[in-house]
Amino acid sequence: MSSRGPRAECADRGSTGWFDDLFGRYFARVYAYAVTRVGSTLAEEVASETFAIAWRRRDVVPDVPLAWLIGIARNVIREQCRQALRQDLIAAELHAWAAASPPVTGDVAELIVDRNVLLRALAALPEGDREVLMLLGWHGLSPREAADVLGCSRPALAMRIHRARRHLDRHINDAARDPDPGSEGDTDE
């Protein structure tokens, strides 16, 4: 009787050897599946996330795991598509708000960042940065509450806030330099 039969494999699932074997046998096939669905640019990310899930759920990985792994990869791809769609919808909504708001004029414009510029800058941020800033600024959460929502420590949140503010400042400066991105090439003179 072989010592590497299904029961022995199940017993070893807490070891990295079991995972190394699973990864070595099936990564290329999961990667190939991902390439056919999302292209080579995202395929490695999908395959890596699939195996991270397999490690976390090692107690339920079947003895013949290929179909299960491909099912996990399919779900990872579906979730990535949902996240991309959500981000696109949020960005479109922020751009629509920016387009609908009248420009601020006069002295007030010199004292505050134009709502239009801010909304365009928020729309340009990566979702993680936008979420941090919106939790604190728009939803009024305290740093402790925001850290709880994001599932991170307060020091990690402080780093995320710092990074998000840097990115927002950069996008505000870019948006302020080009106040009307839809008017490129238009002249009123």
Side-chain angles (χ1 to χ4, degrees):
M1 183 168 175
S2 170
S3 65
R4 282 300 283 165
R7 293 184 197 281
E9 186 177 42
C10 290
D12 294 343
R13 287 188 182 193
S15 73
T16 57
W18 170 84
F19 184 76
D20 290 344
D21 185 50
L22 180 77
F23 187 88
R25 285 186 192 186
Y26 297 104
F27 183 84
R29 294 181 73 184
V30 171
Y31 176 82
Y33 169 79
V35 167
T36 66
R37 297 289 311 279
V38 296
S40 60
T41 305
L42 296 175
E44 188 161 342
E45 182 181 333
V46 169
S48 296
E49 179 62 20
T50 298
F51 281 90
I53 291 168
W55 174 254
R56 288 191 304 268
R57 300 191 60 211
R58 62 191 167 271
D59 57 326
V60 298
V61 175
D63 292 333
V64 181
L66 182 61
W68 185 84
L69 289 167
I70 288 176
I72 296 297
R74 183 173 183 262
N75 291 339
V76 168
I77 291 166
R78 192 175 341 176
E79 185 56 31
Q80 285 181 344
C81 289
R82 280 190 206 121
Q83 287 176 357
L85 177 61
R86 277 193 300 268
Q87 186 159 352
D88 290 347
L89 291 173
I90 290 169
E93 184 72 21
L94 289 171
H95 283 296
W97 288 351
S101 69
V104 177
T105 58
D107 293 335
V108 175
E110 295 174 6
L111 300 175
I112 62 170
V113 175
D114 184 18
R115 179 176 187 246
N116 202 6
V117 170
L118 178 60
L119 290 172
R120 285 181 34 221
L122 279 170
L125 288 176
E127 182 172 344
D129 289 349
R130 184 171 48 240
E131 181 179 29
V132 166
L133 295 174
M134 292 179 85
L135 285 172
L136 297 167
W138 284 15
H139 298 294
L141 297 184
S142 71
R144 174 175 287 146
E145 291 168 328
D148 288 344
V149 168
L150 297 171
C152 66
S153 66
R154 289 185 63 196
L157 177 72
M159 288 181 5
R160 289 180 68 176
I161 293 168
H162 176 73
R163 183 185 68 223
R165 285 180 178 160
R166 265 196 356 253
H167 291 158
L168 182 64
D169 285 345
R170 186 172 350 120
H171 287 294
I172 285 173
N173 291 334
D174 291 347
R177 273 187 252 119
D178 182 16
D180 188 6
S183 67
E184 293 177 355
D186 293 345
T187 59
D188 292 329
E189 299 175 50

